[in-house]
Amino acid sequence: MNPTAPGRILGVVTAAYGAAVAVRPAILLRPTGLGIGDEPELRVLARMVGLRDLASGLALAAASTPRARTVAALVRIASDTADTAVFARALAGRPERAKTLAVTSLWGLLSAAALRYEQRGHRGAVIPTAAHLP
């Protein structure tokens, strides 16, 4: 598998999720237990998170250089880490807390794993030359 494929796939999935949340904030709000999306202030915040995920996902999917992909992945990791910290505090005492923190943490870990996979793949890659042909 191409070393950039996992990060690009993760970027596309993140962008799609972000677009969905921007259009329908309840996608984010219901599972967290913060509401069904009827509260205007919560819808605004959910849309902001959705648009952030859309932008960072597109950046991760479309980054054309290793440095740009690294920066995009680090932005995703930082965003998911921030989400985990904010939800940990906001959902204290709520039954949805554990599930929400597991999801936000998993997304950050997936971004970190994709970045690591790409970094290891580029270092160990052998570029075929005429000398490698039978």
Short mmCIF file of all heavy atoms in Angstrom, two decimals, residues 74-105:
data_model
loop_
_atom_site.label_atom_id
_atom_site.label_comp_id
_atom_site.label_asym_id
_atom_site.label_seq_id
_atom_site.Cartn_x
_atom_site.Cartn_y
_atom_site.Cartn_z
N LEU A 74 -0.68 16.67 11.93
CA LEU A 74 -0.51 17.25 13.27
C LEU A 74 -1.68 18.16 13.64
O LEU A 74 -2.09 18.20 14.81
CB LEU A 74 0.82 18.00 13.36
CG LEU A 74 2.06 17.12 13.30
CD1 LEU A 74 3.33 17.97 13.25
CD2 LEU A 74 2.10 16.15 14.49
N VAL A 75 -2.23 18.87 12.68
CA VAL A 75 -3.43 19.68 12.93
C VAL A 75 -4.59 18.78 13.31
O VAL A 75 -5.34 19.07 14.24
CB VAL A 75 -3.77 20.56 11.70
CG1 VAL A 75 -5.16 21.16 11.82
CG2 VAL A 75 -2.73 21.65 11.53
N ARG A 76 -4.76 17.66 12.60
CA ARG A 76 -5.83 16.72 12.93
C ARG A 76 -5.62 16.16 14.34
O ARG A 76 -6.57 16.07 15.12
CB ARG A 76 -5.87 15.56 11.93
CG ARG A 76 -6.52 15.84 10.64
CD ARG A 76 -8.00 16.23 10.72
NE ARG A 76 -8.72 15.65 11.82
CZ ARG A 76 -9.63 16.30 12.55
NH1 ARG A 76 -9.94 17.55 12.32
NH2 ARG A 76 -10.26 15.70 13.53
N ILE A 77 -4.40 15.76 14.66
CA ILE A 77 -4.11 15.20 15.98
C ILE A 77 -4.40 16.24 17.06
O ILE A 77 -5.03 15.93 18.09
CB ILE A 77 -2.65 14.69 16.06
CG1 ILE A 77 -2.47 13.50 15.11
CG2 ILE A 77 -2.27 14.33 17.48
CD1 ILE A 77 -1.03 13.16 14.81
N ALA A 78 -3.97 17.48 16.84
CA ALA A 78 -4.23 18.55 17.82
C ALA A 78 -5.72 18.81 17.96
O ALA A 78 -6.22 19.01 19.08
CB ALA A 78 -3.50 19.82 17.40
N SER A 79 -6.45 18.79 16.86
CA SER A 79 -7.91 19.02 16.92
C SER A 79 -8.60 17.92 17.72
O SER A 79 -9.46 18.20 18.56
CB SER A 79 -8.49 19.06 15.50
OG SER A 79 -7.97 20.14 14.78
N ASP A 80 -8.23 16.67 17.46
CA ASP A 80 -8.85 15.56 18.18
C ASP A 80 -8.45 15.56 19.66
O ASP A 80 -9.27 15.23 20.52
CB ASP A 80 -8.50 14.24 17.51
CG ASP A 80 -9.13 14.12 16.13
OD1 ASP A 80 -10.26 14.61 15.95
OD2 ASP A 80 -8.49 13.56 15.23
N THR A 81 -7.23 15.96 19.95
CA THR A 81 -6.79 16.07 21.34
C THR A 81 -7.59 17.16 22.05
O THR A 81 -8.05 16.98 23.19
CB THR A 81 -5.29 16.37 21.41
OG1 THR A 81 -4.58 15.30 20.75
CG2 THR A 81 -4.80 16.49 22.84
N ALA A 82 -7.78 18.29 21.38
CA ALA A 82 -8.58 19.38 21.96
C ALA A 82 -10.02 18.94 22.17
O ALA A 82 -10.61 19.24 23.22
CB ALA A 82 -8.52 20.61 21.06
N ASP A 83 -10.59 18.23 21.19
CA ASP A 83 -11.95 17.73 21.34
C ASP A 83 -12.05 16.82 22.56
O ASP A 83 -13.00 16.91 23.35
CB ASP A 83 -12.39 16.95 20.10
CG ASP A 83 -12.58 17.83 18.88
OD1 ASP A 83 -12.59 19.07 19.01
OD2 ASP A 83 -12.72 17.25 17.77
N THR A 84 -11.07 15.95 22.74
CA THR A 84 -11.08 15.04 23.87
C THR A 84 -11.03 15.82 25.18
O THR A 84 -11.80 15.53 26.11
CB THR A 84 -9.89 14.05 23.78
OG1 THR A 84 -10.00 13.32 22.55
CG2 THR A 84 -9.88 13.08 24.95
N ALA A 85 -10.17 16.80 25.27
CA ALA A 85 -10.05 17.60 26.50
C ALA A 85 -11.34 18.37 26.79
O ALA A 85 -11.81 18.40 27.93
CB ALA A 85 -8.87 18.55 26.39
N VAL A 86 -11.90 18.99 25.77
CA VAL A 86 -13.12 19.79 25.97
C VAL A 86 -14.29 18.89 26.34
O VAL A 86 -15.04 19.19 27.29
CB VAL A 86 -13.44 20.62 24.71
CG1 VAL A 86 -14.82 21.25 24.78
CG2 VAL A 86 -12.38 21.70 24.52
N PHE A 87 -14.47 17.78 25.64
CA PHE A 87 -15.57 16.88 25.96
C PHE A 87 -15.39 16.21 27.32
O PHE A 87 -16.37 15.95 28.02
CB PHE A 87 -15.76 15.82 24.87
CG PHE A 87 -16.50 16.30 23.66
CD1 PHE A 87 -15.96 16.15 22.40
CD2 PHE A 87 -17.74 16.90 23.77
CE1 PHE A 87 -16.64 16.59 21.27
CE2 PHE A 87 -18.43 17.34 22.65
CZ PHE A 87 -17.88 17.18 21.39
N ALA A 88 -14.16 15.95 27.71
CA ALA A 88 -13.92 15.35 29.02
C ALA A 88 -14.49 16.24 30.13
O ALA A 88 -15.11 15.75 31.08
CB ALA A 88 -12.43 15.12 29.24
N ARG A 89 -14.29 17.51 29.98
CA ARG A 89 -14.80 18.45 30.98
C ARG A 89 -16.31 18.70 30.81
O ARG A 89 -17.06 18.69 31.78
CB ARG A 89 -14.04 19.76 30.89
CG ARG A 89 -14.44 20.75 31.94
CD ARG A 89 -13.40 21.85 32.04
NE ARG A 89 -13.84 22.88 32.93
CZ ARG A 89 -13.54 22.95 34.22
NH1 ARG A 89 -12.77 22.03 34.74
NH2 ARG A 89 -13.98 23.93 34.97
N ALA A 90 -16.74 18.90 29.58
CA ALA A 90 -18.15 19.24 29.33
C ALA A 90 -19.10 18.10 29.66
O ALA A 90 -20.25 18.34 30.04
CB ALA A 90 -18.33 19.66 27.87
N LEU A 91 -18.63 16.87 29.51
CA LEU A 91 -19.51 15.72 29.72
C LEU A 91 -19.28 15.02 31.06
O LEU A 91 -19.74 13.90 31.25
CB LEU A 91 -19.33 14.72 28.57
CG LEU A 91 -19.64 15.24 27.17
CD1 LEU A 91 -19.39 14.15 26.13
CD2 LEU A 91 -21.06 15.77 27.08
N ALA A 92 -18.59 15.68 31.97
CA ALA A 92 -18.33 15.09 33.29
C ALA A 92 -19.65 14.66 33.93
O ALA A 92 -20.61 15.42 33.96
CB ALA A 92 -17.61 16.09 34.18
N GLY A 93 -19.69 13.41 34.37
CA GLY A 93 -20.87 12.88 35.03
C GLY A 93 -21.96 12.38 34.10
O GLY A 93 -22.98 11.88 34.56
N ARG A 94 -21.77 12.51 32.81
CA ARG A 94 -22.78 12.06 31.85
C ARG A 94 -22.44 10.66 31.34
O ARG A 94 -21.27 10.33 31.15
CB ARG A 94 -22.88 13.01 30.67
CG ARG A 94 -23.42 14.37 31.06
CD ARG A 94 -23.55 15.19 29.80
NE ARG A 94 -24.01 16.52 30.09
CZ ARG A 94 -24.89 17.17 29.36
NH1 ARG A 94 -25.39 16.61 28.28
NH2 ARG A 94 -25.26 18.38 29.69
N PRO A 95 -23.46 9.87 31.04
CA PRO A 95 -23.19 8.51 30.56
C PRO A 95 -22.52 8.48 29.19
O PRO A 95 -21.83 7.50 28.86
CB PRO A 95 -24.58 7.86 30.51
CG PRO A 95 -25.56 8.98 30.53
CD PRO A 95 -24.88 10.13 31.22
N GLU A 96 -22.69 9.52 28.39
CA GLU A 96 -22.11 9.55 27.04
C GLU A 96 -20.62 9.89 27.04
O GLU A 96 -19.96 9.80 26.01
CB GLU A 96 -22.83 10.60 26.18
CG GLU A 96 -24.30 10.34 25.98
CD GLU A 96 -25.19 10.94 27.08
OE1 GLU A 96 -24.65 11.52 28.05
OE2 GLU A 96 -26.40 10.81 26.96
N ARG A 97 -20.09 10.27 28.18
CA ARG A 97 -18.71 10.74 28.26
C ARG A 97 -17.70 9.70 27.77
O ARG A 97 -16.84 10.00 26.93
CB ARG A 97 -18.37 11.15 29.69
CG ARG A 97 -16.99 11.72 29.84
CD ARG A 97 -16.77 12.19 31.28
NE ARG A 97 -15.58 12.97 31.41
CZ ARG A 97 -14.51 12.57 32.08
NH1 ARG A 97 -14.50 11.40 32.70
NH2 ARG A 97 -13.45 13.34 32.16
N ALA A 98 -17.77 8.49 28.29
CA ALA A 98 -16.79 7.46 27.93
C ALA A 98 -16.80 7.17 26.43
O ALA A 98 -15.74 7.09 25.80
CB ALA A 98 -17.04 6.19 28.73
N LYS A 99 -17.99 7.02 25.87
CA LYS A 99 -18.11 6.73 24.44
C LYS A 99 -17.55 7.89 23.61
O LYS A 99 -16.81 7.69 22.65
CB LYS A 99 -19.57 6.48 24.08
CG LYS A 99 -19.84 6.29 22.61
CD LYS A 99 -21.31 6.07 22.31
CE LYS A 99 -22.10 7.28 22.72
NZ LYS A 99 -23.51 7.24 22.32
N THR A 100 -17.89 9.11 23.99
CA THR A 100 -17.43 10.29 23.25
C THR A 100 -15.92 10.41 23.31
O THR A 100 -15.26 10.67 22.30
CB THR A 100 -18.10 11.57 23.81
OG1 THR A 100 -19.52 11.43 23.67
CG2 THR A 100 -17.63 12.80 23.07
N LEU A 101 -15.34 10.21 24.49
CA LEU A 101 -13.88 10.31 24.63
C LEU A 101 -13.18 9.19 23.88
O LEU A 101 -12.10 9.40 23.31
CB LEU A 101 -13.48 10.31 26.10
CG LEU A 101 -14.02 11.48 26.93
CD1 LEU A 101 -13.48 11.40 28.36
CD2 LEU A 101 -13.70 12.81 26.30
N ALA A 102 -13.79 8.02 23.83
CA ALA A 102 -13.21 6.91 23.06
C ALA A 102 -13.16 7.27 21.58
O ALA A 102 -12.15 7.03 20.90
CB ALA A 102 -14.00 5.63 23.29
N VAL A 103 -14.22 7.87 21.07
CA VAL A 103 -14.28 8.22 19.65
C VAL A 103 -13.28 9.32 19.32
O VAL A 103 -12.52 9.22 18.35
CB VAL A 103 -15.72 8.64 19.24
CG1 VAL A 103 -15.74 9.25 17.85
CG2 VAL A 103 -16.65 7.44 19.32
N THR A 104 -13.24 10.40 20.12
CA THR A 104 -12.32 11.49 19.82
C THR A 104 -10.87 11.03 19.95
O THR A 104 -10.02 11.41 19.14
CB THR A 104 -12.57 12.72 20.72
OG1 THR A 104 -12.46 12.34 22.09
CG2 THR A 104 -13.94 13.32 20.46
N SER A 105 -10.60 10.20 20.94
CA SER A 105 -9.24 9.68 21.11
C SER A 105 -8.85 8.75 19.96
O SER A 105 -7.72 8.81 19.47
CB SER A 105 -9.12 8.92 22.44
OG SER A 105 -9.36 9.78 23.52
#
